[in-house]
């Protein structure tokens, strides 16, 4: 009897929640929570290094934190959405007709919201450490006690805006090129359950090679939403003014880079599969005949 009552209560709860779930798109929900996972691990890894003054990790641990964040974010939403977690990749996939344009706004909104919520949660967790670190005076790089870089990226003092833009284009292009290769079923794709891990390795490698100049944002959601959080959480307008209004570079640069990187893979590899299949279909006798034709033309 008791079990029956419990089942009835569960059904009533489901009936009450069903309208909410109808309103919340499942793909948007998956992108939201996947991006939240990515950003929570990523921001947390930076916070631990900055507030711990290098005693609790370094640049490598930050790279690993971001890479594993991407990896587990992909595992969270991979079977639902593919685990984009990155507006630049979403736009690039739509640009090359691998993803419908009509879903792009929904995905980007979910990604930004997930990133923003992760920013808030990390701030809540580390607020006491931040106060102890900067004495309650919120600062941005290159100030000695700056903490804004926990959330968003900032350029090195020597870096020009053009140099930073190029950095973001190249770094994101490498990311997109490798992702396009990993999901190309005509190439030598890894098993589906290993793809998130390998995408995470790509992110770690981008950080290890292109992280010096400006922190390798390579993802507009990774940078803009956390920067917006710092705007309202005590750092004021400095995060948007700093670095000669740097804020737009980690937004536009990755979008351009993802389109470039995806295009490079398609031009050099994906669009060549038809030619390769034709070459594989040529018999030895036909190959000998073609070789003889070439020889005759040269003679």
């Amino acid at each position: 009897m008791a079990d029956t009552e419990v089942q009835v209560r569960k059904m009533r709860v489901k009936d009450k929640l069903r309208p909410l779930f109808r309103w919340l798109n499942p793909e948007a929900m998956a992108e939201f929570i996947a991006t939240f996972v990515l950003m929570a691990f990523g921001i947390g890894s930076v916070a631990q290094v900055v507030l711990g003054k290098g005693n609790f990790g370094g640049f490598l641990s930050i790279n690993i934190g971001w890479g594993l964040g991407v990896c587990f974010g992909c595992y969270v939403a991979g079977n639902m959405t593919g685990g984009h977690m990155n507006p630049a990749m979403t736009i690039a996939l739509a640009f090359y007709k691998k993803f419908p344009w009509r879903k792009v706004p929904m995905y980007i909104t979910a990604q930004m919201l997930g990133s923003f919520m992760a920013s808030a949660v990390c701030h809540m967790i580390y607020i006491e450490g931040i106060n102890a670190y900067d004495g309650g005076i919120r600062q941005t790089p290159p100030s000695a006690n700056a903490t804004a870089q926990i959330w968003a990226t900032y350029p090195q003092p020597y870096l020009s805006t053009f140099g930073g833009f190029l950095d973001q284009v190249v770094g994101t292009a490498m990311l997109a090129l490798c992702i396009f290769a990993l999901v190309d079923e005509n190439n030598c794709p890894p098993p589906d359950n290993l793809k998130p891990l390998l995408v995470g390795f790509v992110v770690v490698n981008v950080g290890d090679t292109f992280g010096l100049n400006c922190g390798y944002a390579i993802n507009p959601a990774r940078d803009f939403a956390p920067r917006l959080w710092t705007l309202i959480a005590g750092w004021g307008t400095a995060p948007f003014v700093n670095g000669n209004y740097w804020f737009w570079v980690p937004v536009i640069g990755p979008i351009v880079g993802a389109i470039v990187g995806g295009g490079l893979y398609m031009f050099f590899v994906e669009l060549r599969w038809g030619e390769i299949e034709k070459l594989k279909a040529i018999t030895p006798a036909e190959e000998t005949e073609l070789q003889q034709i070439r020889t005759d033309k040269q003679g």
Side-chain angles (χ1 to χ4, degrees):
M1 187 69 177
D3 291 341
T4 303
E5 290 180 0
V6 170
Q7 292 295 328
V8 170
R9 288 174 184 174
K10 286 183 178 180
M11 291 300 295
R12 287 175 180 172
V13 172
K14 289 182 179 179
D15 289 339
K16 291 179 181 179
L17 292 177
R18 190 168 286 114
L20 176 63
F21 285 121
R22 286 175 181 171
W23 180 77
L24 293 173
N25 184 282
E27 292 180 52
M29 293 173 69
E31 278 297 300
F32 171 87
I33 194 62
T35 310
F36 178 90
V37 169
L38 158 63
M39 296 303 299
F41 282 134
I43 294 173
S45 70
V46 180
Q48 185 163 282
V49 171
V50 172
L51 302 179
K53 300 180 180 180
N55 295 317
F56 296 88
F59 193 62
L60 179 58
S61 70
I62 290 174
N63 293 341
I64 293 173
W66 283 110
L68 289 178
V70 169
C71 171
F72 290 117
C74 284
Y75 278 121
V76 167
N79 206 34
M80 178 75 75
T81 67
H84 294 196
M85 302 176 291
N86 186 338
M89 287 305 306
T90 299
I91 292 172
L93 290 168
F95 186 86
Y96 293 111
K97 298 182 179 179
K98 297 175 180 290
F99 184 76
W101 276 108
R102 61 183 174 80
K103 291 186 179 181
V104 170
M106 177 182 68
Y107 271 55
I108 292 178
T109 300
Q111 292 156 4
M112 289 292 182
L113 288 175
S115 180
F116 189 83
M117 288 301 298
S119 301
V121 169
C122 288
H123 189 224
M124 179 176 62
I125 292 172
Y126 281 109
I127 182 62
E128 293 172 323
I130 295 169
N131 288 333
Y133 185 87
D134 65 10
I137 302 173
R138 302 296 184 249
Q139 301 171 56
T140 58
S143 299
N145 292 327
T147 51
Q149 73 274 23
I150 292 173
W151 283 270
T153 62
Y154 292 83
Q156 294 282 5
Y158 62 77
L159 190 67
S160 66
T161 301
F162 175 77
F165 185 81
L166 182 62
D167 176 283
Q168 288 299 290
V169 169
V170 172
T172 316
M174 296 299 292
L175 171 69
L177 192 157
C178 293
I179 290 177
F180 271 53
L182 287 171
V183 301
D184 185 358
E185 296 299 328
N186 290 317
N187 206 329
C188 51
D192 288 343
N193 60 352
L194 287 182
K195 287 177 182 177
L197 180 62
L198 295 176
V199 173
F201 278 136
V202 174
V203 172
V204 172
N205 205 33
V206 171
D208 284 340
T209 52
F210 298 108
L212 172 62
N213 282 336
C214 50
Y216 76 107
I218 61 175
N219 180 345
R222 176 263 176 273
D223 196 89
F224 185 78
R227 195 181 299 273
L228 188 61
W229 172 256
T230 58
L231 171 68
I232 66 175
W235 283 262
T237 59
F240 284 85
V241 176
N242 183 291
N244 192 27
Y245 297 91
W246 170 260
F247 75 93
W248 66 270
V249 177
V251 175
I252 305 302
I255 293 173
V256 174
I259 293 173
V260 170
L264 286 173
Y265 179 78
M266 293 187 68
F267 178 78
F268 284 100
V269 181
E270 187 171 325
L271 296 179
R272 308 300 172 192
W273 288 124
E275 299 173 19
I276 293 173
E277 291 301 322
K278 288 179 181 179
L279 290 174
K280 289 181 179 179
I282 295 177
T283 64
E286 291 172 330
E287 180 62 33
T288 302
E289 184 178 348
L290 287 172
Q291 185 61 41
Q292 184 62 47
I293 293 173
R294 295 191 192 103
T295 302
D296 293 342
K297 286 184 178 180
Q298 290 175 358

